[in-house]
């Protein structure tokens, strides 16, 4: 396992900082181990699929920057989120993408 730390800043103001296993054997999943949002929610142990769109707005950060941002967000009151909701959202997104590919 080789961990890298990345940050994604979305146009709507939401941000994620993530720990990624860059040696993941599954090309379908990038295996983000920790997903955080400064929008007030924290998701832990979420395996996030590769998202080409968000990769364009993602940059690598240092481990120190990751934990500094994490501490700042915690001080702003980030609370534990619902992994089930994340999984449902990802499943719907995946199904929609499969449908579009099938119809094309």
């Amino acid at each position: 396992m080789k961990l890298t730390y990345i940050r994604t800043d979305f146009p709507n103001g939401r941000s994620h900082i993530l720990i990624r296993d860059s040696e993941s054997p599954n090309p379908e999943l990038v295996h983000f181990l920790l997903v955080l949002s400064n929008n007030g929610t924290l998701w832990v142990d979420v395996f996030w699929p590769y998202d080409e769109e968000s990769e364009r707005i993602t940059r690598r950060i240092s481990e120190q920057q990751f934990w500094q941002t994490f501490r700042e967000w915690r001080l702003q009151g980030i609370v534990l989120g619902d992994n089930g909701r994340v999984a449902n959202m990802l499943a719907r997104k995946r199904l929609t993408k499969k449908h579009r590919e099938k119809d094309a």
Side-chain angles (χ1 to χ4, degrees), residues 3-6 17-19 60-71:
L3 299 180
T4 55
Y5 301 83
I6 62 174
I17 54 174
L18 311 123
I19 301 172
R60 190 172 177 165
I61 60 175
S62 70
E63 183 178 2
Q64 181 181 0
Q65 289 171 307
F66 175 92
W67 290 112
Q68 181 179 344
T69 304
F70 176 78
R71 280 191 290 275

Side-chain angles (χ1 to χ4, degrees), residues 7-10 12-17 36-39 73:
R7 177 170 181 155
T8 304
D9 294 309
F10 295 92
N12 65 4
R14 188 187 63 182
S15 293
H16 288 160
I17 54 174
L36 305 169
S37 169
N38 67 356
N39 222 19
W73 290 357

